[in-house]
Amino acid sequence: MRGIGSISSKIIACLVGLALLLGGCTNSGTVSVRTVPIQQNWELQPGKQIAGYRVASGLGDISIEVKGEPVYAPFDGLLQPNDIEGCYVYTSPDVPAYLFRLCGLERPRVGDVQQGQPMGRAQFLSFATLRRQPDGKWTMVEPASDVLNRILNPNGMTMGNAG
């Protein structure tokens, strides 16, 4: 049966192509995992488990229902895995005293990203803004609406009601 061999070859080719497509946006092998020491030490933080369920965000985070849409780089910067599973840290020389923690990204594009470039997609994005303190630790601060607009809209234009 000549057709079985060609079908197997086509299936293998499709699986390889799918693997390349799905893995093509991640580059975590060359970007180091970043640990961010946070000044506030709350018991319930992202990554903790409660009754077998993972905490997705905590005090200081804002959650946005993105509905599977892209999440964009607000400036030229670096997206790297955080030591909290499912979370990523975004830094930029444009705002060196701040870093942004994004939890919930699907198929993230880790590494260098340009302003307006998709960093991944999310159903729900848990977002935190952290500011560097003199002791080297980070403290959570309120996210700026204009930064969130840039993250949700590649043109950085204000959309929707922020209040």
Side-chain angles (χ1 to χ4, degrees), residues 13 32 79 88 105 117 133 140 142 146 156 158:
S32 62
L79 182 67
Y88 298 84
L105 285 180
Q117 186 176 32
Q133 300 302 295
M140 294 205 174
E142 182 177 13
D146 62 327
T158 301

Side-chain angles (χ1 to χ4, degrees), residues 88-108:
Y88 298 84
V89 174
Y90 179 77
T91 55
S92 172
D94 292 342
V95 286
Y98 294 91
L99 65 77
F100 307 111
R101 183 178 65 201
L102 301 102
C103 302
L105 285 180
E106 300 166 358
R107 295 178 45 202

